[in-house]
Amino acid sequence: MPRAKKTAEPAPLVGDRLLTPAEAARRIGIVPGTLRNWGTAGKGPRRYRMSPDFGGRVRYSEHEVDAFVEAVKAGELARPPKSPATPVRSRAEDAQTGDAAA
């Protein structure tokens, strides 16, 4: 099966410091796992995947992370919402509603 052709991502600003996910998360005030989830969902600051020569690791532009934090503080951008929790029901509740597994 042929692979989809990747489109070129814009590069960070020349001279801009690149932050590790841990450094970027610390600046935003979240844990790295949340930042990773935001990136997968297309939320939060843009992430850059480095070339395989540099281990293919993800980095964040210091300028873009700071701009993201300022936008959140200014109320221009809301933090991505938490995913809604799925309610846990007991088997007795399932039996009452007829949703019991066969």
Side-chain angles (χ1 to χ4, degrees):
M1 174 180 259
R3 289 183 161 201
K5 192 172 187 178
K6 289 187 177 183
T7 58
E9 289 187 19
L13 297 173
V14 175
D16 195 10
R17 182 168 173 259
L18 296 178
L19 304 174
T20 66
E23 291 170 328
R26 193 174 311 116
R27 279 181 180 249
I28 297 170
I30 57 174
V31 295
T34 299
L35 186 60
R36 183 175 43 252
N37 291 340
W38 285 2
T40 302
K43 300 174 181 175
R46 184 182 309 161
R47 60 186 183 166
Y48 298 93
R49 184 158 306 275
M50 305 308 290
S51 74
D53 296 341
F54 294 97
R57 293 183 171 87
V58 171
R59 294 292 183 258
Y60 296 86
S61 160
E62 182 177 40
H63 173 76
E64 290 178 16
V65 169
D66 291 342
F68 176 79
V69 169
E70 291 304 316
V72 170
K73 285 181 182 177
E76 299 168 7
L77 181 67
R79 284 191 178 190
K82 292 183 179 179
S83 58
T86 304
V88 178
R89 299 187 318 180
S90 68
R91 289 185 181 170
E93 290 173 319
D94 286 342
Q96 290 174 354
T97 61
D99 290 341

